[in-house]
């Protein structure tokens, strides 16, 4: 292939490679992956360091995130920056690094999953993959579309597969969805039911950018147009998958930590302010997230701090609080206090 | 959800079990000290203390706040309880009883509530301090046993009574209660703590148990023995069993003098005993050795009844028929009293005996179950002899007779059968009538001739009816009880005791020239049996002619003849004879002091020597040794004949039979003598305390002793606790210097946290260690590393990499430096002085 051919852009893109990167086998390698993500995204998105951390954490924990924020707060920029970090080292399959789906009420499931199309030349149907066939999918304003489309999306998220015309097609192992929704403009929306919210590992409530960060954003806006930091190292798809495995096996979760996590969940179920407590699935999902966060804090073990930091994100959208209760966060804080204290004291015991 | 319920259930259960154990502890402590209200309050206090403690321990309240709050609450309640009784207004408003009850409720309820709460919170927050809780319950139980040691158990009466009634040993029941409560806690401990901590706690528990056994020494001591540490077998309020007074004389063997009194009381002894004698005299008789009505019956009467029954049963064994009704009565009286070894006190009133005697004067006497058993028992009792009194001599005095004769009563009036205390006021005026309430002189004072003034103090171990002193006593005055826990009363005596040698008494005239003829005749009255006169004459005829008219020579001659011819044995029985003295003298010639004394006096009187029988105690002068203490024992009870010589007064002329069929008595225990003497010399704690009934007195004394000991020990305990706290603090500060390996991470972090806690920087409840480190990062940046290492060692698997010791120690030093930069010096000094600042670190 030459520079002139139509595929040349694709082939020369920095997002593909055909030479595999050296495999990641230890926590240092995984830490390198984290650092590369972090550096690149931080260069693109200013004043959102916490959210960036959470998103990387979810990516390494093989979970999806739901961003809830006002328009223009950098959701899309963040998702795009994340997609920009990835290099597809299997360029020959149908899966690309990044896709964005803007959900609207008239969207159809096939618009998401892809559909079979009749080819008059061959007299055969062939499958035209939808935007979910990507490593990173930005599902923008997911609550604006009909439940039918939502459920198609959610099947992909939960099972990492789509079914079109009774044929199930596998998505990539690295399938990461960043969904967004607008918390205020709820007219004509289809709020996600709690069963579907359960499929998101984290629900991140983004807040307005701080003043200093906002100033910096303005100051660096021009520079960022010119792809500042685009020369920073990227991460290949395989590296992310390897890092996931390393994290799962090499970051230690002490039994006391598991106890603490379970106790938090139990407490949410016991709390009279909570109608529906944390699900067991959420605990299963939480484990890799805790491990990933531990790694991102340069620890080879999960500590109470990870639970404290992630509980709100993990359980916040899963708890259904009784009417009249102001915030889930305060309930969660109460539920966490006693297990966390026990875990903290355990460290001082012989 | 079910798991949550289960854990909640287990918490409730374990709290309930703990509360039960604490209640047992509270009961154990409260039994001896407080009233029913106090007990109830302590039970409630214990239950609520445990429950609230459990709850508080799970709350986010700081340990120091809980401890401080509890202390404040206790102080408040204590002040309120004081307030309720300190002024007249509150008792006036609600009544004295109610005010007192309120005070007790507040005091004990608050005490138990606060202590159990503190123990529970400490044990729950700091797992190692579970031992404290365990120790508290064990100590409470041990305290109960300590008060019951040596088988002298009193409280809780309902429990011991119940145990007796169902035939259990109360010590074992109490032991069971104690073991139960400690076991409950131990099981809880093991269930709630896994691994090495439970093991170490178990070892501590075993150590406590050994300590308890050592303290209590209850195992193997179920049966009350006759002697405790002082040979005082005194269940509070009960005088020790009085032995039959013993005719020590030269033979030095124990004898049952009381037989006479017992016999007399029973009216079965037709010889020496006077069946027709009144009840009063019978009781007074008993006073020779036994004193109060109860102890007379129990101490003196009961064994004698048995012995006599045995003897007369033996004598009249050929009669074969003894009325079964009487037999039962006799058995019941004697055997139940004696078999329990010191618990005898079956109140047998002399009057009932004499009634029985009168009614059944001619009927065969009761017979004991077994003659052999009876005598065995008797011998055992002779060997066990408990102290009755302590005599402290102020003046050095050695009697010429080489024995101290402590006279309590005199028997001079002949009632047709035997001699009894006088009923005429003009006779025996040298015998005190009752205890002195103020200094008093007896109406008759011996002349100074041949006598020396002896001041002495008598401290009674058991209650006596009448005071006694060294013969020749003329002055009695009350004295402070030197040790109310040991002595029931004390008094001072001045005696003009005989100092003149016996051989220098020859040639004196008998009787007092001031006596009226009636008095002289009174002291010469004896049985009409002519054999006495005949025998006396025969004896007197053996001495040289020129001496025959000398009264003292006559008396001595008769004494010497009796010495040679009589045989001493406590098994002698003459009670059934019409004249027991004659029965002995012309019978088997076997008898003991009372028989001998009667024989001597009757013989003397028959030849015109005025004489009487003195009764009281006879203590061998050798027993005194070089000490000034004379211990009077129950086995020293004695009766002896006395003659009146002009100028020197009543002279003891005791009969010492040369032949003795009784086993020798036990030697004097010098340690015991010195110990009791020491006690009798001690100054009393409260001289103004009015004499009380022994039981109340002992109880109060015990309570006061405990209170005093507690008051004395309190500052020291406080100091000890303070030192312990500082010790722990210092230890926690120093231990990172020499800890190696993984544990260093923890102790280094802990010492850093201690430093921070002193400066008032502590982790909040529920705050993670990282969050805490982040919060103080501005001031204390070095803490983060320490916290991280401590958590890493705990949480990163089975074999964590050992931390870098150098770095950790540096970090600790940095934390110290950073704290000193962050906090003013006075704040740090204050923290350094705070002994319990480390309690907030967890």
């Amino acid at each position: 292939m030459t520079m002139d051919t139509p595929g040349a852009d694709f082939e020369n893109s920095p997002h593909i490679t055909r030479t595999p990167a050296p495999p990641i086998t230890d926590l240092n390698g995984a830490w390198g992956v984290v650092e590369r993500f972090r550096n690149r995204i931080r260069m693109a998105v200013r004043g959102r360091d916490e959210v960036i951390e959470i998103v990387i954490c979810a990516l390494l924990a093989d979970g999806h995130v739901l961003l809830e924020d006002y328009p223009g707060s950098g959701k899309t920029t963040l998702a795009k920056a994340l997609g920009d970090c990835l290099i597809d080292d299997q360029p020959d399959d149908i899966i690309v690094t990044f896709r964005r789906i803007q959900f609207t009420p008239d969207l159809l499931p096939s618009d998401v999953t892809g559909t079979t199309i009749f080819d008059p030349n061959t007299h055969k149907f062939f499958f035209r993959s939808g935007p979910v066939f990507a490593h990173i999918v930005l599902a923008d304003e997911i609550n604006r579309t009909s439940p039918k489309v939502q459920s198609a999306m959610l099947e992909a998220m939960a099972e990492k597969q789509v079914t079109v015309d009774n044929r199930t097609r596998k998505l990539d192992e690295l399938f990461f969805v960043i969904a967004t929704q607008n918390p205020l403009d709820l007219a004509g929306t289809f709020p996600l039911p709690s069963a579907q919210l359960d499929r998101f590992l984290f629900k991140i409530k983004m807040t307005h950018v701080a003043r200093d960060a906002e100033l910096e954003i303005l100051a660096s806006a021009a520079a960022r147009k010119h792809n500042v930091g685009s020369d920073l190292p990227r991460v290949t798809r395989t590296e992310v998958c390897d890092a996931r495995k390393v994290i799962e096996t090499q970051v230690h979760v002490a039994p006391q930590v598991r106890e603490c996590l379970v106790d938090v969940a139990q407490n949410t179920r016991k709390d009279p302010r909570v109608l529906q407590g944390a699900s067991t699935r959420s605990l299963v999902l939480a484990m890799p997230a805790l491990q990933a966060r531990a790694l991102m804090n340069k620890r080879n073990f999960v500590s109470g701090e990870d639970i404290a930091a992630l509980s709100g994100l993990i359980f916040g959208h899963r708890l259904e609080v009784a009417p009249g209760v102001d915030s889930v966060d305060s309930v969660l804080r109460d539920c966490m206090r006693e297990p966390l204290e026990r875990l903290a004291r355990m460290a001082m015991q012989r | 959800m079910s798991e949550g319920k289960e854990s909640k259930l287990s918490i409730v259960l374990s709290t309930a079990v703990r509360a039960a154990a604490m209640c047992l502890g509270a009961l154990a402590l409260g039994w001896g000290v407080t009233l029913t209200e106090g007990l109830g309050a302590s039970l409630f206090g214990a239950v609520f203390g445990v429950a609230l403690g459990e709850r508080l321990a799970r709350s986010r309240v700081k340990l120091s706040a809980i401890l401080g709050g509890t202390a404040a609450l206790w102080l408040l309640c204590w002040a309120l309880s004081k307030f309720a009784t300190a002024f007249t207004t509150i008792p006036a408003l609600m009544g004295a009883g109610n005010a007192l009850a309120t005070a007790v409720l507040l005091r004990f309820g608050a005490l138990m509530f606060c202590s159990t709460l503190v123990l529970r919170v400490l044990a729950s927050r700091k797992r190692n301090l579970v031992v404290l809780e365990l120790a508290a319950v064990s100590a409470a139980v041990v305290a109960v046993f300590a008060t019951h040691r040596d088988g002298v158990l009193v409280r809780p009466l309902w429990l011991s009574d119940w145990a007796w009634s169902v035939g259990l040993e109360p010590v074992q029941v109490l032991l069971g209660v104690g073991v139960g409560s400690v076991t409950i806690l131990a099981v809880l401990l093991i269930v709630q703590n896994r691994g090495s901590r439970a093991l170490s706690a178990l070892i501590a528990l075993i150590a406590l148990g050994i300590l308890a056994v050592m303290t209590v020494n209850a195992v193997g001591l179920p049966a009350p023995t006759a002697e405790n540490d002082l040979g005082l077998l005194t269940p509070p309020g009960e005088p020790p069993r009085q032995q039959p007074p013993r005719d020590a004389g030269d033979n030095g063997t124990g004898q049952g003098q009381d037989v006479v009194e017992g016999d007399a009381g029973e009216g079965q002894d037709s010889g020496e005993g006077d069946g027709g004698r009144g009840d009063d005299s019978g009781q007074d008789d008993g006073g020779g050795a036994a004193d109060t009505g109860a102890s007379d019956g129990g101490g003196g009467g009961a064994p004698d009844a048995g012995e006599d029954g045995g003897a007369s049963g033996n004598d009249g064994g050929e009669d074969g028929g003894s009325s079964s009704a009487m037999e039962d009565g006799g058995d019941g009286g004697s055997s139940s009293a004696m078999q329990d070894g010191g618990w005898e006190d079956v109140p047998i009133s002399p009057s009932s005996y004499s009634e029985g005697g009168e009614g059944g004067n001619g009927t065969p006497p009761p017979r004991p179950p077994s003659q052999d058993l009876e005598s065995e028992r008797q011998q055992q009792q002779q060997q066990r002899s408990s102290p009755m009194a302590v005599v402290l001599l102020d003046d050095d005095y050695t009697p010429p007779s080489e024995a101290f004769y402590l006279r309590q009563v005199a028997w001079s009036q002949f009632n047709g059968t035997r001699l009894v205390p006088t009923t005429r006021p003009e006779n025996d005026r040298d015998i005190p009538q009752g205890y002195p309430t103020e200094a008093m002189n007896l109406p008759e004072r011996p002349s100074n001739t041949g006598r020396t003034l002896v001041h002495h103090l008598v401290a009674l171990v058991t209650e006596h009816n009448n005071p006694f002193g060294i013969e020749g006593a003329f002055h009695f005055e009350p004295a402070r009880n030197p040790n109310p826990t040991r002595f029931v009363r004390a008094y001072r005596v001045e005696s003009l005791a005989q100092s003149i040698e016996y051989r220098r008494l020859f040639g004196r005239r008998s009787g007092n020239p001031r006596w009226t003829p009636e008095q002289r005749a009174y002291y010469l009255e004896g049985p009409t049996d002519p054999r006495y006169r005949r025998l006396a004459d025969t004896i007197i005829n053996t001495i040289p002619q020129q001496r025959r008219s000398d009264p003292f020579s006559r008396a001595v001659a008769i004494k010497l003849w009796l010495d040679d011819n009589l045989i001493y044995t406590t098994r002698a029985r003459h009670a059934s004879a019409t004249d027991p003295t004659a029965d002995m003298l012309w019978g088997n010639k076997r008898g003991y002091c009372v028989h001998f004394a009667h024989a001597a006096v009757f013989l003397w009187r028959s030849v015109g020597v005025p004489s009487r029988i003195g009764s009281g105690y006879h203590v061998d002068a050798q027993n005194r040794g070089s000490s000034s203490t004379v211990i009077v024992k129950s086995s020293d009870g004695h009766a002896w004949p006395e003659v009146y010589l002009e100028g020197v007064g009543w002279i003891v002329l005791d009969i010492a039979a040369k032949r003795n069929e009784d086993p020798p008595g036990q030697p004097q225990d010098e340690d015991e003598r010195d110990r009791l003497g020491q006690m009798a010399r001690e100054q009393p704690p409260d001289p103004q305390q009015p004499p009380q009934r022994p039981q109340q007195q002992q109880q109060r004394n015990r309570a006061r002793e405990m209170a005093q000991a507690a008051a004395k020990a309190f500052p020291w305990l406080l100091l000890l606790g303070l030192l312990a706290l500082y010790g722990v603090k210092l230890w926690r500060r120093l231990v990172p210097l020499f800890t190696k390996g993984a544990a260093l991470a923890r102790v280094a972090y802990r010492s850093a946290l201690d430093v921070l806690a002193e400066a008032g920087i502590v982790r909040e409840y529920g705050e993670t260690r990282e969050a805490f480190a982040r919060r103080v990062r501005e001031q204390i940046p070095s803490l983060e590393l320490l916290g991280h290492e401590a958590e890493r060692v705990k949480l990163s698997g089975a074999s964590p990499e050992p931390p870098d010791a150098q770095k950790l120690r540096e970090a600790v030093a940095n934390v110290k430096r950073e704290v000193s930069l962050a906090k003013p010096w006075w704040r740090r000094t204050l923290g350094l002085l705070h002994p319990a600042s480390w309690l907030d670190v967890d």
Side-chain angles (χ1 to χ4, degrees), chain B residues 243-247 254-258 289 568 593 616 634-638:
Chain B
Q243 300 291 337
R246 142 189 160 193
D247 191 12
Q255 287 299 329
Q257 167 249 356
D258 267 343
Y568 188 96
C593 58
S634 55
S635 57
D636 291 334
H638 189 43

Side-chain angles (χ1 to χ4, degrees), chain B residues 392 394 457 459 479-487 490 492 675-689 701 704-705 708:
Chain B
L392 294 181
D394 289 351
L457 175 106
R480 296 172 171 180
N481 188 342
N483 187 342
T485 57
R486 281 299 174 204
F487 302 110
R492 303 204 136 269
R675 212 160 49 228
L676 271 174
Q678 202 59 45
M679 260 181 220
R681 271 189 203 90
E682 270 168 17
Q683 286 306 303
D686 182 9
Q688 299 306 322
Q689 192 190 10
N701 288 334
R704 201 176 51 197
E705 266 177 14
Q708 279 174 346

Side-chain angles (χ1 to χ4, degrees), chain B residues 101-342:
Chain B
T102 313
V104 167
L105 279 178
L106 275 173
R107 194 169 302 151
F108 287 95
L111 184 68
M112 282 314 293
F113 175 77
C114 293
S115 46
T116 50
L117 189 146
V118 164
L119 284 174
R120 191 78 282 276
V121 169
L122 280 178
S124 190
R125 286 274 173 94
K126 311 259 173 201
R127 277 300 158 92
N128 291 343
L129 295 185
V130 159
V131 172
L132 275 187
E133 202 176 27
L134 208 60
V137 174
S138 317
V141 176
V142 164
V144 173
F145 290 128
T147 57
H148 291 91
R149 67 171 170 269
D150 292 346
V152 184
L153 64 151
V154 199
R155 249 144 242 282
L157 285 175
W158 56 266
L159 188 64
S160 50
D161 284 354
W162 170 82
W164 284 119
S165 71
V166 297
L168 289 170
E169 184 61 52
V171 170
Q172 285 164 356
V173 172
L174 284 169
L175 204 63
V177 170
V179 167
S181 57
V182 176
T183 312
I184 288 172
L185 277 189
V187 168
L188 268 182
L189 184 78
I190 294 164
V191 168
Q192 299 201 334
N193 293 279
R194 286 161 297 230
S196 61
R197 203 174 311 123
L199 196 69
S200 63
L202 253 193
I203 291 169
L205 193 68
I206 291 168
L208 269 177
I210 292 171
L211 192 74
V213 170
M214 277 163 59
T215 318
V216 176
N217 203 10
V219 181
L221 271 176
T225 54
E227 284 141 339
N228 57 13
D229 51 342
L230 283 173
L232 301 178
L233 177 66
T234 42
E238 295 175 33
R241 148 186 235 75
Q242 283 190 320
Q243 300 291 337
R246 142 189 160 193
D247 191 12
D250 292 337
N251 318 336
T253 48
Q255 287 299 329
Q257 167 249 356
D258 267 343
V259 168
V260 173
E261 291 102 61
D263 293 347
E266 282 180 51
Q268 290 151 357
D269 191 341
S270 49
E272 284 175 43
D274 67 321
R277 185 163 50 96
D279 297 345
D280 290 352
S281 59
Q283 202 163 351
D284 275 353
D285 259 357
D291 303 289
T292 59
S295 77
D296 193 2
D304 293 341
E307 285 162 19
D308 259 327
S312 40
N314 198 21
D315 290 349
E318 293 89 305
D319 300 353
S322 51
S323 106
S324 61
M326 288 294 285
E327 195 173 309
D328 289 344
D331 288 353
S334 58
S335 61
S336 74
M338 298 170 73
Q339 268 167 346
D340 292 329

